[in-house]
């Protein structure tokens, strides 16, 4: 249920594993996250020290190195994989120590990550606004989420999956077993995977609540300024992503319920963050604005695995800010878990961190 980034990735892996797969998706234009996302693959930038899912994020990022050419070959769709590095800029004195300790922590574990002093930043990117230095993660990157989801679904269909446009409203249950999903009709199945993003908890018939709430993100696009090399830059307040001749500017993190609208306050905050990073953007016309709803859990980590209170129910949701990064690896994990195989993640703590039962013990 749900054919966004996570549902499409699960469908592809399950169909390729020989299962009979039906994807139920209600279609675009309802605030779904995948059509709004920036598509950064930035586990190093997003990680905090002691982050239980740092390694999963790295594995998620690295998986696209193989997946992008493979999807291009099988579907003809280019997912726009870009692997030229991301800088996280210190715009205040206070953030310098934090970012330097992040650099040190990542280097201690053998990951490529450097601290660039303010004069190095100014030499490398002379068009940037004032900085106090930057963390440089040369293996970070991005992809284009819309062709990613289209390619995953196309590849799933090539492996036998079917896609129907319908809105699922209820789980169908017999005793302690889930036997399907109800939309315009009843879709019977041995197993249901709920991958409906921020809407995952809205189905009737759930055995217990799913702790996912929408967190709105607003975005804008302006033409990429001439004479500036493409880049991706983060600050504490926002980011700039170069994509197909545009600068994508993001993003807010707002608890606004299920309202996927842009607001003048939200746009003001992302333009302010972007123009302080790259003042040259201030002269660019605004081409598009949009917003989407991230599926966010109380601890900020995804929910991936079997719902233990009934048979036949699986959850793949709550990926928050990193659902594009984690889509491909989540699809693989779900397929492995459903077939009872040992999983790509061997680290028990990381698997526990994803446990669907962790918020509700009844
Ligand atoms: C502004 C913004 C920027 C982001 N930037 C990044 C980024 O740079 N990097 C990154 O990794 N992540 C990013 N994300 C997060 C990422 O987009 C999400 O984590 C990811 O898309 C979640 O995938 P999903 O499939 O769970 O949910 P979604 O992408 O929201 O997809 C859910 C799907 O389920 C469908 N659906 C919902 N309810 C029903 C129903 N009842 N019946 C049928 N279908 C249903 C929806 O229509 C949708 O297609 C960003 C998100 C936003 C909003």
């Amino acid at each position: 249920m749900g054919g966004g980034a996570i549902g499409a990735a699960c469908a592809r892996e399950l169909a390729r594993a020989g299962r009979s797969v039906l994807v139920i998706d209600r279609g675009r234009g309802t605030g779904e996250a995948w059509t709004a996302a920036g598509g950064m693959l930035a586990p190093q930038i997003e990680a905090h020290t002691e982050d239980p899912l740092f390694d999963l994020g790295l594995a998620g990022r690295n998986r696209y190195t193989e997946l992008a050419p493979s999807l291009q070959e099988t579907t003809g769709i280019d997912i726009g994989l870009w692997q030229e590095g991301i800088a996280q800029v210190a715009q205040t004195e206070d953030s310098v120590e934090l970012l330097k300790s992040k650099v040190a922590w990542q280097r201690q574990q053998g990951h490529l990550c450097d601290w660039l002093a303010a004069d190095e930043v100014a030499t490398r990117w002379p068009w940037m606004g004032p900085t106090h230095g930057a963390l440089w993660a040369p293996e970070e990157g991005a992809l284009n989420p819309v062709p990613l989801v289209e390619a995953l679904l196309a590849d799933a269909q090539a492996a036998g999956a079917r896609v129907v446009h319908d809105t699922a409203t209820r789980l169908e249950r017999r005793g302690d077993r889930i036997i399907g999903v109800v939309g315009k009709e009843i879709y019977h199945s041995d197993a249901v995977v709920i991958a409906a993003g921020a809407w995952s908890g809205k189905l009737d018939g759930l055995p217990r609540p799913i702790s996912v709430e929408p967190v709105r993100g607003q975005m804008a696009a302006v033409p990429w300024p001439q004479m500036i090399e493409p880049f991706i830059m983060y600050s504490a307040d926002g980011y700039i992503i170069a994509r197909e001749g545009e600068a994508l500017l993001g993003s807010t993190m707002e608890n606004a319920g299920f309202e996927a609208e842009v607001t003048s306050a939200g746009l003001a905050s992302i333009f302010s963050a972007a123009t302080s990073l790259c003042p040259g953007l201030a002269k660019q016309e605004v081409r598009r604005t949009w917003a989407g709803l991230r599926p966010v859990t109380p601890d900020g980590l995804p929910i991936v695995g079997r719902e233990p209170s009934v048979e036949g129910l699986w959850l793949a949701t709550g990926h928050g800010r990193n659902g594009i990064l984690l889509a491909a690896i989540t699809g693989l994990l779900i397929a492995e878990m459903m077939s009872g195989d040992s999983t790509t993640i061997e680290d028990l703590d990381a698997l526990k961190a994803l446990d669907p039962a962790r918020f509700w013990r009844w």
Side-chain angles (χ1 to χ4, degrees):
M1 180 202 152
I6 303 299
C10 293
R12 175 181 181 270
E13 290 292 344
L14 290 166
R16 284 163 57 92
R19 285 184 184 252
S20 163
V21 177
L22 177 73
V23 179
I24 304 171
D25 191 85
R26 67 182 172 198
R28 294 192 195 184
T30 47
E32 64 284 350
W34 64 278
T35 55
M40 277 175 296
L41 308 176
Q44 292 181 259
I45 303 282
E46 288 278 321
H48 317 287
T49 320
E50 306 304 327
D51 192 332
L53 292 183
F54 181 47
D55 288 341
L56 183 70
L58 294 171
R61 183 188 72 192
N62 298 342
R63 194 160 168 76
Y64 287 111
T65 308
E66 268 175 46
L67 190 59
S70 158
L71 288 173
Q72 169 95 55
E73 197 179 310
T74 53
T75 67
I77 299 173
D78 176 4
I79 66 168
L81 184 63
W82 189 87
Q83 297 173 298
E84 307 291 321
I86 301 184
Q88 185 173 14
V89 175
Q91 291 184 307
T92 60
E93 198 69 70
D94 289 350
S95 54
V96 170
E97 204 173 321
L98 201 74
L99 289 182
K100 277 187 173 172
S101 70
K102 196 158 147 180
V103 170
W105 170 65
Q106 296 192 8
R107 289 174 66 96
Q108 281 163 345
Q109 295 169 73
H111 303 299
L112 294 181
C113 194
D114 288 312
W115 175 253
L116 306 178
D119 56 342
E120 291 173 88
V121 172
T123 311
R124 211 187 259 222
W125 299 293
W127 37 261
M128 272 192 76
T131 80
H132 292 266
L135 174 154
W136 173 239
E139 293 181 303
E140 302 275 80
L143 56 74
N144 195 341
V146 171
L148 170 71
V149 173
E150 289 170 347
L152 290 169
L153 285 178
D155 211 26
Q157 285 170 292
R162 285 191 305 128
V163 180
V164 294
H165 291 288
D166 196 354
T167 300
T169 53
R170 180 164 66 79
L171 290 176
E172 184 75 356
R173 180 171 174 161
R174 185 176 301 145
D176 64 355
R177 168 164 272 287
I178 299 299
I179 57 161
V181 172
V182 182
K184 281 185 274 198
E185 57 182 278
I186 301 179
Y187 304 98
H188 286 284
S189 74
D190 294 337
V192 172
V193 181
I194 297 182
W199 297 267
S200 296
K202 294 193 111 186
L203 266 191
D204 288 338
L206 290 169
R208 53 182 165 179
I210 298 178
S211 298
V212 172
E213 288 293 323
V215 172
R216 182 168 69 191
Q218 302 186 37
M219 300 278 290
V222 303
W224 190 262
Q226 283 179 347
M227 315 294 288
I228 295 184
E229 288 287 304
F231 64 80
I232 301 181
M233 293 269 163
Y234 254 71
S235 72
D237 302 320
Y239 52 76
I240 305 169
I241 305 170
R243 178 161 309 138
E244 295 176 354
E246 290 186 327
L248 307 187
L249 316 179
S251 180
T252 55
M253 291 281 288
E254 302 163 82
N255 291 301
F258 285 90
E259 293 188 8
E261 267 94 52
V262 293
T263 62
S264 39
L267 293 176
S269 86
I270 60 180
F271 285 122
S272 156
T275 51
S276 76
L277 275 171
C278 178
L281 289 176
K283 298 194 196 93
Q284 303 300 85
E285 88 209 39
V286 180
R287 275 200 185 150
R288 289 175 291 128
T289 60
W290 65 95
L293 303 174
R294 305 175 185 89
V296 176
T297 60
D299 59 10
L301 303 174
I303 299 172
V304 180
R306 195 174 83 78
E307 162 55 52
S309 63
V310 285
E311 287 297 313
L313 185 60
W314 298 79
L315 303 181
T317 186
H319 291 72
R321 293 170 59 90
N322 289 299
I324 304 302
L325 168 70
L326 296 173
I329 197 88
T330 298
L332 183 64
L333 271 176
I334 281 286
E336 289 170 341
M337 287 173 173
M338 287 179 77
S339 54
D341 293 346
S342 60
T343 54
T344 303
I345 318 183
E346 283 159 11
D347 178 357
L348 212 56
D349 286 343
L351 279 178
K352 273 198 203 135
L354 304 174
D355 182 3
R358 69 189 186 275
F359 302 116
W360 299 88
R361 292 284 164 208
W362 46 274

